[in-house]
Amino acid sequence: MNRRTRLWLVAVGGAGLAALLVAACLELPDFGGDRHPYGDRAVHESLARHTANTIASVNFDQRALDTLGEISILFAAVVGCVVLLRQTRDEHRARPRPADVARPVRRYALAVLPVALLTGLYVIAHGQLSPGGGFQGGVAAATALHLLYLGADYRTLERIRPVGLYEVGDALAVSAYLVTGLACLIGAGSFLANTLLPYGTFNTLSSGGTVPLLNAAVGMEVACAVVVLLARFLDQAVEIVEENGT
Amino acid sequence: MMDVFPYLVAAWIFLAGCYGLATSRNLIHAVGCLSVCQSATYVLLLAVGYRDDATAPVFSDIEPGSRPVVDPVVQALTLTDVVVGATVTALLLALVVQIAKRHGTVDPDELSELRG
């Protein structure tokens, strides 16, 4: 099929899809309406279990099993990337050369690094109270480490980032989630049921039963996963070269 | 008009992403277009959950029941969506890296005769 016919086909199909989508949109409930039966029930359940951030309650309590599926997807994707981006037989590892970094870049990157790392950990720790949580904080914390790559060079980053350790951490965090679920199964009668731990005082760090534990496990998993993923991509760009030339 | 406008925006973003996917001459660009398609679902989900004059469903600084809050279920779904989208992008980009190494091109038209 040549380009022209293909474009025509896309145009016809796209026009049909657009018409169907518009027709569907016109039938949807009005934007901003007041009827949200699931939302109201989720808010009610979240408050009953002393979790101030309703979204954390939905993710780590009401839909905790779905989140297990979600972190399994993340874990599988990390494994897939590690396999796809491995060093093949006709490639070898070149030692990265030390790089010159402009002084202001170095200064500000190194000054922001601890702040960014602390912000990431704060967002993870307060997942059940304020906006954020394991997923968001994990990404922030993992990205913070990579400021070293900007501020110093790749060798410095490699020294503080043993990828093997983060791969183990990734697996451990997923296991921690599973173990918490199993503890609920043994102690409370059903998998990932948030009835095992006391709910604590509303709006304090220890409130919400198992929500903070699962949240922390997810935070660790996401942080490790992002570090491992970025490490694999950076290896491809910086270190791994083909045998014949570059 | 305002009652359905955000839904139409979501549909438009989705179609724009589809157009990009179909006409893409570069696999990295195609992965970007897929992310555009996916961001349409964020807009749709958040639009479905919106409630007029409502605030975020986080009760650390507002008294429960004092103000209406938007639907937290769709927000949690959007979070799931973002995470899955990021993993898919990472995996696809890893595939593109391998394709570029094996075939020396990232133009999907030139890849029509796949070699082993």
Side-chain angles (χ1 to χ4, degrees):
Chain A
M1 193 169 17
N2 67 15
R3 239 184 127 65
R4 226 182 138 71
T5 29
R6 194 165 63 186
L7 263 183
W8 268 108
L9 209 63
V10 169
V12 173
L17 182 63
L20 287 174
L21 281 175
V22 169
C25 286
L26 294 177
E27 292 296 316
L28 277 172
D30 285 352
F31 176 71
D34 204 34
R35 212 180 114 70
H36 293 285
Y38 291 112
D40 293 339
R41 283 170 176 79
V43 168
H44 182 260
E45 284 303 313
S46 158
L47 291 175
R49 291 186 169 178
H50 299 196
T51 314
N53 181 0
T54 315
I55 295 145
S57 173
V58 172
N59 268 329
F60 301 115
D61 181 0
Q62 298 160 30
R63 292 178 62 241
L65 193 63
D66 295 353
T67 304
L68 177 62
E70 187 183 345
I71 64 171
S72 309
I73 291 175
L74 181 58
F75 187 68
V78 170
V79 173
C81 279
V82 168
V83 171
L84 275 174
L85 297 178
R86 70 195 184 281
Q87 186 181 348
T88 51
R89 232 170 309 162
D90 53 349
E91 292 169 338
H92 71 277
R93 227 163 239 274
R95 219 175 137 57
R97 281 183 292 278
D100 282 332
V101 183
R103 283 173 68 89
V105 174
R106 178 186 290 264
R107 196 181 311 132
Y108 290 118
L110 295 185
V112 169
L113 194 152
V115 181
L117 192 61
L118 196 67
T119 309
L121 295 178
Y122 175 90
V123 170
I124 296 177
H126 290 72
Q128 69 276 21
L129 303 179
S130 53
F135 290 107
Q136 300 90 325
V139 173
T143 322
L145 284 185
H146 290 87
L147 282 171
L148 259 190
Y149 178 50
L150 295 183
D153 59 13
Y154 198 60
R155 290 204 296 185
T156 323
L157 177 63
E158 278 189 323
R159 215 168 296 145
I160 64 133
R161 188 212 58 186
V163 180
L165 218 60
Y166 284 91
E167 284 169 354
V168 173
D170 196 14
L172 272 181
V174 179
S175 324
Y177 198 99
L178 271 174
V179 167
T180 313
L182 288 176
C184 295
L185 180 64
I186 294 165
S190 68
F191 190 64
L192 284 168
N194 185 9
T195 47
L196 184 63
L197 297 175
Y199 296 136
T201 314
F202 186 75
N203 213 0
T204 57
L205 266 184
S206 58
S207 63
T210 49
V211 170
L213 297 181
L214 297 179
N215 185 43
V218 166
M220 181 171 164
E221 208 243 327
V222 172
C224 292
V226 173
V227 167
V228 172
L229 280 180
L230 284 176
R232 294 294 160 181
F233 279 104
L234 285 173
D235 274 356
Q236 289 287 331
V238 180
E239 278 199 300
I240 292 181
V241 288
E242 278 180 47
E243 287 292 339
N244 46 356
T246 56
Chain B
M1 183 59 200
M2 210 35 226
D3 289 339
V4 292
F5 185 64
Y7 306 136
L8 294 176
V9 169
W12 179 75
I13 296 174
F14 183 78
L15 288 169
C18 286
Y19 172 78
L21 268 177
T23 58
S24 175
R25 306 296 299 267
N26 184 317
L27 286 175
I28 296 174
H29 170 257
V31 174
C33 290
L34 193 67
S35 303
V36 172
C37 282
Q38 193 147 32
S39 55
T41 60
Y42 312 154
V43 175
L44 181 68
L45 279 171
L46 294 178
V48 166
Y50 186 69
R51 193 192 289 245
D52 283 329
D53 302 319
T55 182
V58 176
F59 296 98
S60 50
D61 55 355
I62 59 168
E63 193 63 31
S66 62
R67 285 189 64 181
V69 292
V70 297
D71 194 332
V73 178
V74 289
Q75 299 213 341
L77 287 178
T78 310
L79 181 57
T80 307
D81 204 353
V82 172
V83 174
V84 173
T87 60
V88 168
T89 305
L91 211 51
L92 286 176
L93 285 177
L95 279 172
V96 173
V97 168
Q98 287 301 337
I99 289 173
K101 270 203 256 175
R102 294 283 160 271
H103 301 278
T105 176
V106 287
D107 185 342
D109 287 342
E110 289 177 27
L111 288 168
S112 50
E113 301 153 27
L114 275 180
R115 288 165 289 157

